[in-house]
Amino acid sequence: MWLKKIIFGILLLSLAFGGWGVFILVTNGQEVLGLNSFVVWGLWMSLYVLFASMAAGMFAMSTFDLLFKLKTFAGTGKVFLLASFASLCAGLAHILVNEGRPERVINVFIYPNWDSVLTWSVWIYTAIAIATAVLLLVLFIPERKIPVNKDKLVKGLMIIGFPIAVLAAGAVGFTLSTQASQAFWNEAFFPILFPIFGLSAGFGLARILVAVFGDKKSHGYDHATRIMAISTIILLFANLYIIGSLLFVSDYGGNPAAVAAVEYILFGPYWYGFWIFQIGLGVLIPLVILARIVLNHNLKHKWLWAASAGTMVIVGTAVARLNFIIPAQAVAREDFLSSPYSGVRFAGEYIPTMPEWAVSVGITALFIVLFYATAKKMKLLPIVFKNGGTK
Amino acid sequence: MPSKNEDSKENKGEDQKKLPIERRGFIKMMGGALGVAATAQLTTRVERVGAAVTPSATGQLPDMNPIASASGEYDVLVRMQEELRLAMKKPVEERKWAMVINLRKCVGCHACTIACVSENKLPSGVVYRWVMDEESGTYPNVARRFIPRPCMHCDNPPCTKVCPVGATYKQVDGTVVIDYNRCIGCRFCIVSCPYTARVMDYGDEYYEDTPEAEGLIVGQEQAEACVEAPNFEYTTKRNRTEKRNSPVGNARKCHFCLHRLENGMLPACVTTCIGRVNYFGDLNNPDSMVSEMVAQPGITRIKEEAGTEPSVYYLF
């Protein structure tokens, strides 16, 4: 009980902090940001990518129950889908505040440039958001009020939604990899990398949800947590392999900009972000915890272990996003740095300012609160693992 | 009996009368010679200056070409100005603006950068045309090279492709422009440009932290008034106010001073350059200066391997 109060207290403070950040942003404009003319995509873009790809990962996880009817995940579909929607909304909120003229975002729908990968990303994420919202509506409405067979309708919507979710997860990868001017990004790997990272973040979030809200006495809980732990371990190894390949290929290729980006990530001023947070906290420690959970039956019921592992995976994935997006920009402007033209906006370094952190913390807290309130209202919590289908 | 002093004075006078005529004469002669020489020089200088301003024998004012040299050669700006006016008479789709930068003459004064900032009233954090300053070699064989970098106005621009709303596009005259009213500030174009030609206007101002100085022409109040005075980019009057209207929150970049072209004037950087480094004109005119420059050996474009087909050429 005391823990619940502490968490609510933290969420309340976070909302207040976020409110302050939004106030500063609205009254002062984007000059309060730490971005500059080289690093134009920073914390908010990275968190948009994290939340959006995590939403795609959670959507994929919800299909295990709602579409593929996997017994192991029976009873989890609705809550995972709700988490997917909350995560997507958090991501879209981040990209909205990131725009220089957020009031004109509607222009993407009025004047779409179909040559732009970003246009496709916006439209796909909008489609995913609508599909998820419709699915949730259908799932929450009593069957008697729906003129068609509810199960078939849900299945049909999931069949449409699943490939879109996969596309959505890769969309950001396409956005980055199609930039020939950024040697570190201009890899065919990125559209593959992002869905896998999204899936691992999705599994991380699922671990937290199951650990915190899972009914440990329900039939199937132990088996589900074991499968999720093993899946997360496999995904973390896949992440390690992908990160290693990306860094090795970029460095070995010898392109100066790509090599500079790799060195910035590994040995630059924020080296600890990669080694300590992304690899240590985000991969190695969760691997150890999850392995212990798999091998030690008693740990499955100790929610703190699984929640910690899930949180660390998400934090590691978030830092990975920062490492993909920021260093490439920071080093790609070497030409300009030879100019004596100076100013805050022409520095190569980027450090998120307090208002940036505040807005991100506030958005995250807001959607956590909204998710929890909705899940409680729709009686999705605690998460009861069932065999043989949905609630 | 005269006093000793009086006696001294008299003696001095007689002594002076007795000075060898050579010394006094020499001084006078030299003075005269110098005077003649000075007069001659002065006359020559006056004649040289007078060549520009001396009225003609007919009484009419001479052809007032203040930058015409004594040998009759015209400053390149005059020629480019005339070519510009010729091009502006053509339909817009028949023009193809291009710029040639002669790096052999650039001295790195950055006047072009400042002229651009002044012409377009660029705020803090925004620069359209910056100059690379590269050092090479090891002592004693060292060199410096200056490379002005405006927007390249590429024929295959990566920036126009990535804009989600089509706010940035290539006009028929070859310039790549930004519609400030449509741009959503996503900054995708900034990331996609391989030339660091684009910047983001975050709304910074030079007068921030300027102290108040009531009643003086300096101080924050006057600075604000100066900043809020309109600029005329894209021939549109835009005031920079506290409402943070566009182009605050937009991507911005060099546009070849289109508002000046429309009024028959060369871009500010071209006009300002002390070394006449920049050549600007219509590439569709085979007789234009830029067409002649582009045909020269030693002409190149930056990052051509990117396939962007820049419209800015460099003479190395």
Side-chain angles (χ1 to χ4, degrees), chain B residues 120-124 201 203-208 210 219-232 238-242 247-248 252:
Chain B
N120 295 293
K121 291 188 86 270
L122 300 182
S124 173
D201 187 345
D204 300 318
E205 301 293 357
Y206 282 113
Y207 62 73
E208 285 165 13
T210 303
Q220 194 170 90
E221 196 182 321
Q222 295 298 335
E224 276 183 38
C226 175
V227 163
E228 287 171 11
N231 84 352
F232 294 91
R238 291 177 196 275
N239 290 81
R240 195 172 178 90
T241 65
E242 284 182 358
V248 175
R252 298 179 70 169

Side-chain angles (χ1 to χ4, degrees), chain A residues 41-242:
Chain A
W41 287 344
L43 176 72
W44 288 345
M45 181 67 169
S46 304
L47 291 180
Y48 150 70
V49 175
L50 169 74
F51 285 117
S53 58
M54 193 157 66
M58 288 303 293
F59 191 100
M61 289 198 68
S62 71
T63 63
F64 296 164
D65 176 22
L66 298 174
L67 179 61
F68 300 112
K69 305 291 185 197
L70 296 179
K71 287 181 185 173
T72 305
F73 294 97
T76 62
K78 284 184 193 174
V79 71
F80 285 174
L81 196 64
L82 182 65
S84 169
F85 187 66
S87 182
L88 182 60
C89 289
L92 294 177
H94 272 99
I95 200 62
L96 187 68
V97 294
N98 186 59
E99 305 308 308
R101 308 293 310 194
E103 74 277 10
R104 294 186 192 158
V105 166
I106 194 75
N107 283 350
V108 184
F109 300 99
I110 300 172
Y111 309 110
N113 174 16
W114 297 114
D115 286 336
S116 169
V117 179
L118 192 57
T119 301
W120 285 97
S121 294
V122 170
W123 279 69
I124 287 171
Y125 276 117
T126 306
I128 276 282
I130 294 171
T132 311
V134 169
L135 262 166
L136 285 168
L137 209 63
V138 169
L139 285 168
F140 291 146
I141 290 175
E143 188 149 9
R144 65 177 185 279
K145 291 189 178 175
I146 300 174
V148 296
N149 183 282
K150 187 171 175 178
D151 272 348
K152 281 186 180 171
L153 180 60
V154 168
K155 197 167 182 176
L157 287 169
M158 292 300 275
I159 287 171
I160 296 168
F162 182 61
I164 298 176
V166 171
L167 263 176
V172 178
F174 281 107
T175 304
L176 299 182
S177 67
T178 50
Q179 300 316 301
S181 62
Q182 305 282 353
F184 183 66
W185 291 348
N186 196 216
E187 301 270 353
F189 220 5
F190 270 75
I192 303 166
L193 181 159
F194 277 83
I196 295 175
F197 270 71
L199 202 56
S200 68
F203 266 89
L205 181 58
R207 289 303 286 124
I208 297 171
L209 291 174
V210 168
V212 174
F213 301 116
D215 183 357
K216 291 150 188 68
K217 294 175 188 162
S218 64
H219 183 67
Y221 177 86
D222 287 355
H223 184 64
T225 52
R226 184 184 163 82
I227 294 296
M228 287 171 71
I230 292 171
S231 306
T232 310
I233 289 171
I234 294 170
L235 283 167
L236 287 175
F237 275 116
N239 285 355
L240 263 181
Y241 180 74
I242 288 168

Side-chain angles (χ1 to χ4, degrees), chain B residues 81-90 285:
Chain B
Q81 189 86 44
E82 286 175 1
E83 288 169 359
L84 167 66
R85 289 173 182 174
L86 266 174
M88 294 306 288
K89 287 179 186 168
K90 296 195 302 188
N285 176 3

